[in-house]
Amino acid sequence: MIPVIEFVLGVAVLVYSAEKLIGYLVGVASRWAISLFLIAVVFTGIEFDDLAFGVVLNMEDLSDVALGAVIGTTIALTGIVLALAAIIAPTRVEVPRDYLALYVAAPVVMFLLALGGLLTAGTGVVLILLFVAFVGWIAYREYTARRPVWRHAEVYEQLEKAGVGAGGSATASAGSGGPPRADAATGSPGFRLPEDLRVDDGFLAARAQPPGRTILFAVIALIGLVVGALIAGQGTEGILETWAISGTVFGVTIATLALSLEDLLITVEPARRGAPEIAVANVLGSVVFSVTGKLGVILLVGGAIVVDPTALVWHLPVLLALTVLSAVFLGTGRIRRWHGVVLLALYIAYFVISLTVFGGVPVDD
């Protein structure tokens, strides 16, 4: 019974922390006038729990498992996280072409480096530098583009000027188009909201926080995500041992979904709440970080990794294919439900073929 409680508690902490983190990221971007996309790449793309897990595996001479975890979680980001996000909360997205090019280039570089059959500490240094360059380029492009820090920044500024606060009454009218109008009750100037916008009290509250406090709260929420993932993972292991469920069956179902829950929440919730920049940045940032920065640190700290031939002929090509396909979908300007269905179907096919033909699937457990 205790493992079940641990699992439920971990999921609850994950959900609560994800809700808070999304609001605080908007607060950080707004109060510091920094691109929300860049903030999200740094806060959600760099996955410290997965990084620590991979380093420990490699230091314990489980280098094949460490590499498998990198590949498996990266494939899950497009095949599970982005797929379910598209099915649950389809939304309009705006991703610059050069961002998508870097998103695709990262796993291509990893694949080319892996072709030699050995990934060394030197390779790790190169991969870490590539991730730093990726973040640097995003920062430069976001700064020079001179766009609003996030899609609805100007609308929320107007709401605040009209005296709308978290939990307060709005003077803006729903709907699109038409001239501004005055609020009948207060006389304050009103305006019409975009049709796809749902005013979020969490965003309003976060924007009202002092600049330093927004960063502190965002870091605390991020720590909550890691703690929730650890508790849910411990509960998952306990469930597996207590009920003697097949490791393979459990791994490809409940465990995989549990391990992807953190990314899923950080992708679905922002899209639903009107901040799809966080959703896209999480997927792009996490994929690039996994195959460059995360793998680089694992190699640098834990030592060289010998690449299994199966990874070269099956898992890495699948990673490349799903990344390219997801980039094509993101490049259309809107993530649709059928995009998610296609990605999820391909991921299920990958699992089935991996289990029946290649004898296993890389799972971060």
Side-chain angles (χ1 to χ4, degrees), residues 26 28 59 89 93 99 114 129 139 144 148 178 195 209 229 245 269 293 297 313 324 341-342 348 362 364:
V26 170
V28 171
M59 292 181 68
V93 294
Y99 292 8
L129 291 175
T144 57
E195 287 184 339
Q209 296 291 338
I245 303 173
E269 276 298 288
V297 172
V313 300
V324 170
V341 171
V342 170
I348 293 172
D364 181 8

Side-chain angles (χ1 to χ4, degrees), residues 64-117:
D64 54 338
V65 181
L67 181 60
V70 169
I71 298 172
T73 52
T74 309
I75 293 175
L77 280 165
T78 52
I80 295 180
V81 174
L82 184 59
L84 291 179
I87 294 171
I88 297 170
T91 184
R92 178 170 56 88
V93 294
E94 299 174 3
V95 190
R97 298 294 180 182
D98 53 335
Y99 292 8
L100 292 176
L102 293 174
Y103 168 66
V104 172
V108 170
V109 170
M110 175 194 173
F111 181 69
L112 292 176
L113 292 173
L115 285 175

Side-chain angles (χ1 to χ4, degrees), residues 8-354:
V8 173
L9 176 62
V11 171
V13 173
L14 271 173
V15 172
Y16 179 80
S17 299
E19 287 276 348
K20 292 299 182 181
L21 179 60
I22 293 164
Y24 293 139
L25 290 182
V26 170
V28 171
S30 301
R31 299 296 289 168
W32 291 85
I34 302 174
S35 160
L36 179 57
F37 189 93
L38 173 62
I39 292 291
V41 164
V42 175
F43 270 83
T44 69
I46 302 177
E47 299 179 322
F48 296 99
D49 50 343
D50 283 355
L51 175 60
F53 177 75
V55 168
V56 170
L57 285 176
N58 203 23
M59 292 181 68
E60 293 180 353
D61 295 326
L62 296 171
S63 59
D64 54 338
V65 181
L67 181 60
V70 169
I71 298 172
T73 52
T74 309
I75 293 175
L77 280 165
T78 52
I80 295 180
V81 174
L82 184 59
L84 291 179
I87 294 171
I88 297 170
T91 184
R92 178 170 56 88
V93 294
E94 299 174 3
V95 190
R97 298 294 180 182
D98 53 335
Y99 292 8
L100 292 176
L102 293 174
Y103 168 66
V104 172
V108 170
V109 170
M110 175 194 173
F111 181 69
L112 292 176
L113 292 173
L115 285 175
L118 181 67
L119 298 171
T120 64
T123 308
V125 172
V126 172
L127 291 172
I128 292 172
L129 291 175
L130 287 175
F131 180 71
V132 172
F134 167 74
V135 175
W137 178 253
I138 296 293
Y140 169 75
R141 285 281 282 109
E142 290 294 301
Y143 175 76
T144 57
R146 301 295 182 181
R147 292 189 294 268
V149 293
W150 64 296
R151 178 186 297 182
H152 295 304
E154 295 178 353
V155 175
Y156 274 81
E157 288 174 6
Q158 292 295 323
L159 286 169
E160 290 164 354
K161 289 178 181 178
V164 181
S169 60
T171 61
S173 63
S176 63
R181 64 176 180 85
D183 180 70
T186 65
S188 301
F191 53 92
R192 296 197 180 267
L193 299 176
E195 287 184 339
D196 63 345
L197 174 64
R198 181 177 66 87
V199 177
D200 192 294
D201 280 352
F203 291 173
L204 287 169
R207 286 172 57 88
Q209 296 291 338
R213 194 179 297 174
T214 58
I215 294 180
L216 175 62
F217 285 169
V219 171
I220 293 174
L222 185 62
I223 293 173
L225 276 180
V226 175
V227 172
L230 291 175
I231 296 174
Q234 184 173 333
T236 297
E237 293 177 1
I239 292 172
L240 180 61
E241 294 174 0
T242 302
W243 278 274
I245 303 173
S246 166
T248 299
V249 172
F250 191 82
V252 300
T253 54
I254 300 174
T256 299
L257 290 175
L259 292 165
S260 301
L261 184 59
E262 175 187 345
D263 283 305
L264 185 60
L265 288 171
I266 294 297
T267 304
V268 173
E269 276 298 288
R272 187 183 64 83
R273 292 172 62 182
E277 295 91 340
I278 297 178
V280 176
N282 178 55
V283 173
L284 266 64
S286 295
V287 167
V288 174
F289 175 69
S290 291
V291 298
T292 57
K294 180 167 75 175
L295 180 57
V297 172
I298 290 172
L299 292 170
L300 203 58
V301 177
I305 294 178
V306 176
V307 182
D308 188 281
T310 303
L312 293 174
V313 300
W314 175 240
H315 299 296
L316 282 173
V318 169
L319 169 59
L320 288 175
L322 283 178
T323 302
V324 170
L325 182 59
S326 62
V328 171
F329 289 158
L330 289 168
T332 64
R334 179 174 289 276
I335 289 295
R336 296 174 168 83
R337 283 195 172 88
W338 73 265
H339 292 163
V341 171
V342 170
L343 289 172
L344 186 60
L346 290 174
Y347 186 79
I348 293 172
Y350 160 71
F351 255 99
V352 172
I353 295 173
S354 295

